[in-house]
Amino acid sequence: MQILVDADACPVVRIVEQIARRRKIAVTLFCDTSHVLRSDYAEVRTIGAGADAVDFALTAACRAGDVVITQDYGLAAMILSKGAYGLHQSGMRYTDDNIDRLLMERHLAKKARMAKAKNHLKGPSRRTAEDDKHFAAALEKLLDEIGI
C-alpha cells in the first residue's frame, strides 16, 4: 500500500508527507513538467506535458488498496474502479456512492461556464489552517479504517 498524490498545485503535499513519514507509508508525488517538486521523503515522478498525462500515469501506477489524493473527480473515478481509496484535498472521501453525483456536478458547472449567458461561478474560497486540520484528520481516519 502506498499514497499517490496528484501533486500539481496540491496544497496538502506536506501534510501527506508528515503523516506518511510517521506511519512509514511510501508516498509518490505525480506532477507535470510545468511544476517543480522536491521532497526529502516522497518519490517524485514528473510526467511529460499533455492533457491528463499525470492522471493516466497515476492511474497506471495505482493498485487496489492504495490511497490517492486528488481534487480531480475524473481521476477519482478511475482509481475507485481499481479498488483504491480516494481523498479530496478538502478531506472529502470519494466513494462509489458519491462519484457519479460529483461527476455530474462537474459536468453541469462546465456547461454553465460555456453558456452564452453570463454565469459567473465562484471558485473555491481561500484555504485556511482549519482546512488543513480537517484534511489531516480525514487522512488519519481513512488510514485507521484501512488498518495502516
Side-chain angles (χ1 to χ4, degrees), residues 91-110:
M92 174 188 66
R93 190 150 155 202
Y94 297 110
T95 67
D96 291 333
D97 294 331
N98 69 8
I99 196 64
D100 288 338
R101 176 184 52 81
L102 293 168
L103 288 167
M104 179 57 76
E105 288 172 358
R106 179 181 77 168
H107 171 71
L108 293 173
K110 183 176 181 179

Side-chain angles (χ1 to χ4, degrees), residues 5 10-17 69 89 127 131-132 135:
V5 182
C10 180
V12 296
V13 169
R14 299 301 165 232
I15 296 168
V16 171
E17 288 178 320
I69 311 299
Q89 65 192 28
R127 190 161 188 89
D131 294 330
D132 289 345
F135 171 79

